[in-house]
Amino acid sequence: MANIELLHKVLQHIKDTPTEYDPVRWHRDFAGWTLRLALPGVEARTDDVGTETLYDADGERIWISDIGPRAQALLGLTASQAAWLFSGVNAADDLEHIVSAIIAEARATA
């Protein structure tokens, strides 16, 4: 079942700070913001050459390959919902429609 509260929280953050959303950078897309907003202590750090990377509360690097699956689990999404929501072609304006559809599906199957 989709985590409706967290879907709304992440969507609202992106709507409130649209310049921080980047669908082609895992740490700044919907998945990355899910981790940053749902898990205490997750933060982005920038190295000497300007590369941003997510780190957990213990200071451990969160690998790009782990961001999507971890966000999917936190949001309670199916694989197809996660692929749709985390797609690199989604503009910020697309997200409200996608989140609404995921929530409607969750409520219809509850």
Side-chain angles (χ1 to χ4, degrees), residues 1 18-19 65 71 75 85 89 93 97 108:
M1 171 89 173
T19 59
S65 59
L75 291 167
L85 185 57
V89 300
D93 292 341
H97 166 73

Side-chain angles (χ1 to χ4, degrees), residues 11 13 18-19 23 29 32 47 50 53 66 73 82-83 86-89 91 100-101 108-110:
L11 178 62
H13 174 80
T19 59
D29 75 343
D47 66 16
T53 305
D66 293 333
F86 305 157
S87 173
V89 300
S100 294
T109 59

Side-chain angles (χ1 to χ4, degrees), residues 19-76:
T19 59
E20 294 182 6
Y21 173 73
D22 185 344
V24 297
R25 296 169 67 195
W26 275 102
H27 63 286
R28 298 182 131 234
D29 75 343
F30 206 97
W33 281 111
T34 297
L35 297 186
R36 291 166 82 171
L37 296 171
L39 301 174
V42 170
E43 64 180 4
R45 296 183 193 163
T46 305
D47 66 16
D48 296 342
V49 294
T51 303
E52 285 183 293
T53 305
L54 289 183
Y55 287 83
D56 66 18
D58 296 325
E60 296 293 320
R61 180 182 205 163
I62 301 174
W63 296 99
I64 291 172
S65 59
D66 293 333
I67 294 173
R70 289 175 73 175
Q72 179 183 342
L74 287 167
L75 291 167

